[in-house]
Amino acid sequence: MSIRSSQIGNYKILGKLGEGGMALIYKALQPALQRTVVLKKLKDPNREIINRFKQGALLSASFNQENLAAIYDFLYIGKSYYLVMEYIDGEDLRTIIDSMAPMSSYAAALIILGIARGLEYTHARNII
């Protein structure tokens, strides 16, 4: 199935959230569980990128930490690869920093603490 059909597998596409260097990012609905998710579609895949994408998905799916988005599924549909992730509603960090400038040291410390906890969790599992 294609993005144009507004459906990828069992997920209903709600809209495009953005685009990164390796993936297109969509907001979607998982009707069976009535939850909003993020679908990352790998763009321009080659064998090395596909392998890294799969390995990252498998590894990330084993993570369970409040500062890291949960991985729900990995799909291969119509020669395209997708990662289904937890949707976290809210502003991105850049927007928060810009809107709070100048930021109090307490607010900055809370943001840094959350980032550090996520990094500590992944580093404890030998992820750089």
Side-chain angles (χ1 to χ4, degrees), residues 24-61:
L24 301 169
I25 303 163
Y26 299 94
K27 182 177 179 180
L29 176 68
Q30 183 182 21
L33 297 177
Q34 286 298 299
R35 71 175 166 193
T36 304
V37 297
V38 169
L39 275 166
K40 289 179 79 173
K41 179 186 181 197
L42 188 60
K43 58 182 183 179
D44 303 323
N46 63 45
R47 188 170 289 161
E48 181 183 342
I49 290 174
I50 291 167
N51 287 336
R52 284 186 15 217
F53 198 68
K54 284 181 181 179
Q55 289 173 351
L58 285 171
L59 186 59
S60 297

Side-chain angles (χ1 to χ4, degrees), residues 11 28 30 33 35-39 57 60-63 68-75 82-88:
Y11 299 92
Q30 183 182 21
L33 297 177
R35 71 175 166 193
T36 304
V37 297
V38 169
L39 275 166
S60 297
S62 70
F63 294 169
L68 303 173
I71 304 298
Y72 298 141
D73 204 355
F74 181 82
L75 308 169
Y82 302 88
L83 188 61
V84 183
M85 305 171 60
E86 174 184 11
Y87 174 76
I88 301 169

